[in-house]
Amino acid sequence: LATSMASLLANGMLVRKVWKMVGGWKDAYREKTPNKEEEEVQETQHTKQLSAETNQMENEETDPTSIPFISFPDRKSLTSLLLLAGPMFFVMLGKIMGYSAMTMRAGNFGMVSLACHNVLMRIFFFFATVGDALSQSAQTFLPGLFYRKKLQEEDADDAAGTVSTPTTGASESRDDDNNARTLLKRLVLLSSVSGVMNCIFGRYIAHNSGGTFTTDTALVSLMSHVSPFMGLALLLHPLTMALEGSIIAGSDSGYLVGTYVMSLIVLLGQLKFICKDFLGVWHAILLFQMIRITQFGARVWKRTASSTSKQSR
């Protein structure tokens, strides 16, 4: 019922918007249609100015009827979009493949294990929204500092013959570096605190509140048995996502894709050759988090250290 109401509301809003758009087109067409005398005057003026102003009028046209219903980006815009969206597509594909492989492996150990895995994953993803928010925060605030620093460095290179401008640009660049490191430290602190809280509450729910999800005693017992590893995975997840968002903000998409390729290979190998029971599935999830946080942390640390060394020089 809720889904039907939401779909009905969304479709109603879409129909209303399309109806208003069509009405605007009709009104604009009526206003644009002149009478006979005005038509003769407009034809005369159009004949005089056709050779000089036709292209300009087309570029400055604001009539809604001139706006295409479907348009495609030019080659430059499409290339810019693909450079960002292409690597992110493979990152999301890697996450889907990893979590899907864990679910399929859990199904190999019986229906109780599969049901337990689904309940634990719902709890895990509920608390994982905190990590997603931290990742979005890094992607929102860090690119402005990085991009402004890049522009300042380019301006400083162009003005290398002057005295005052490079010094000012270098000073502003150092300020942006300091602001970026301060923001990153705050994100790391928030991620650490959030991870501890997620670990405590997530493990408590899985360990003590299994009866809220099911009355099957075997399923409740299995949830309690696996809960420590789910808690550890939740402990690492916020920091992992914050570091991942920092890498995305720095446009280091090649390293990000390579990281997920390596992590996925290790994860699939763990599930295929080492995982012997349902507990091993959550060992693999914990390993997946540890591999990502290690690689992301090393990359962010390396970039931060190199920036600090350049400033000290």
Side-chain angles (χ1 to χ4, degrees), residues 84 87-96 99 128 131-140 142-143 146 184 187-188 191 236-261 263 288-301 303:
L84 175 64
M88 294 308 302
F89 169 78
F90 291 103
V91 169
M92 298 305 299
L93 181 63
K95 290 183 180 181
I96 293 173
Y99 287 114
D132 294 334
L134 291 167
S135 177
Q136 290 297 323
S137 298
Q139 295 176 47
T140 301
L142 285 176
F146 292 156
L184 188 58
L187 288 174
V188 170
S191 302
L236 300 178
H237 185 266
L239 183 56
T240 302
M241 295 305 297
L243 295 173
E244 179 180 315
S246 302
I247 292 177
I248 296 173
S251 301
D252 199 359
S253 56
Y255 180 83
L256 188 65
V257 173
T259 296
Y260 270 94
V261 170
S263 301
F288 185 58
Q289 302 295 333
M290 293 176 63
I291 293 175
R292 291 194 301 163
I293 196 174
T294 301
Q295 292 177 319
F296 296 160
R299 187 66 167 185
V300 172
W301 175 266
R303 288 202 158 191

Side-chain angles (χ1 to χ4, degrees), residues 22-40:
V22 173
W25 290 346
K26 290 181 178 179
D27 294 339
Y29 179 76
R30 293 193 190 100
E31 294 176 358
K32 187 178 179 181
T33 303
N35 55 33
K36 187 175 182 179
E37 295 179 356
E38 293 176 348
E39 185 176 3
E40 293 177 356

Side-chain angles (χ1 to χ4, degrees), residues 135-301:
S135 177
Q136 290 297 323
S137 298
Q139 295 176 47
T140 301
F141 296 108
L142 285 176
L145 299 175
F146 292 156
Y147 183 68
R148 187 168 60 183
K149 175 188 173 184
K150 180 180 179 181
L151 292 179
Q152 291 167 354
E153 291 177 349
E154 292 177 354
D155 292 340
D157 292 338
D158 294 337
T162 64
V163 177
S164 58
T165 303
T167 304
T168 303
S171 177
E172 293 177 351
S173 179
R174 286 194 295 269
D175 291 339
D176 287 337
D177 284 337
N178 293 332
N179 292 334
R181 280 194 296 273
T182 300
L183 177 59
L184 188 58
K185 290 178 181 178
R186 291 176 180 176
L187 288 174
V188 170
L189 178 60
L190 289 174
S191 302
S192 301
V193 175
S194 300
V196 173
M197 300 300 293
N198 287 351
C199 175
I200 294 174
F201 289 113
R203 186 181 183 280
Y204 177 84
I205 293 173
H207 187 267
N208 299 312
S209 302
T212 306
F213 304 95
T214 180
T215 57
D216 191 330
T217 56
L219 181 55
V220 172
S221 177
L222 188 58
M223 288 178 58
S224 178
H225 180 60
V226 180
S227 62
F229 295 96
M230 188 198 72
L232 290 175
L234 286 173
L235 176 66
L236 300 178
H237 185 266
L239 183 56
T240 302
M241 295 305 297
L243 295 173
E244 179 180 315
S246 302
I247 292 177
I248 296 173
S251 301
D252 199 359
S253 56
Y255 180 83
L256 188 65
V257 173
T259 296
Y260 270 94
V261 170
M262 177 180 177
S263 301
L264 191 60
I265 292 175
V266 175
L267 174 65
L268 295 178
Q270 164 80 7
L271 293 173
K272 178 68 176 179
F273 301 106
I274 301 178
C275 179
K276 302 300 181 183
D277 54 14
F278 175 63
L279 187 61
V281 175
W282 280 89
H283 289 168
I285 293 178
L286 179 59
L287 178 64
F288 185 58
Q289 302 295 333
M290 293 176 63
I291 293 175
R292 291 194 301 163
I293 196 174
T294 301
Q295 292 177 319
F296 296 160
R299 187 66 167 185
V300 172
W301 175 266

